[in-house]
Amino acid sequence: MPEYIYPQNVEEVISHLKPSSLLYAGGTGLYKRNLQRFDCIVDLQSLNCQNIIKSRDYLIFDAMVTMAHIIEHPEVPDT
């Protein structure tokens, strides 16, 4: 089984990037993969990439923003 890595910053993610690494951002993707071919699974959920930032004209979503974050965020207008 591969080693699970829980990085605390982007530099730690970069230090574990190699062909035998799997970047994992949640969901059920791990169940469908052949995990034996990976040396490590880098779990991106531990990073703080769930921000919604209001710009002057629009909203900017970080990579790990979920639908729940969008629905609950006060800057997202109800439609």
Side-chain angles (χ1 to χ4, degrees):
M1 272 316 259
E3 174 185 8
Y4 278 78
I5 308 294
Y6 300 95
Q8 297 303 307
N9 54 54
V10 174
E11 289 78 18
E12 286 184 44
V13 173
I14 293 169
S15 72
H16 292 288
L17 289 181
K18 52 189 167 192
S20 60
S21 300
L22 172 67
L23 295 179
Y24 177 66
T28 58
L30 290 180
Y31 297 113
K32 296 182 180 184
R33 295 192 178 265
N34 179 4
L35 297 181
Q36 281 69 28
R37 68 181 191 182
F38 299 105
D39 290 334
C40 68
I41 297 173
V42 182
D43 192 331
L44 301 177
Q45 294 183 62
S46 58
L47 298 175
N48 183 18
C49 294
Q50 300 173 341
N51 298 306
I52 299 175
I53 303 161
K54 183 173 172 67
S55 177
R56 194 168 85 187
D57 298 324
Y58 49 88
L59 297 173
I60 301 169
F61 300 94
D62 277 346
M64 302 284 290
V65 171
T66 65
M67 287 301 288
H69 290 117
I70 294 170
I71 292 168
E72 295 169 0
H73 197 276
E75 295 291 342
V76 176
D78 292 333
T79 57

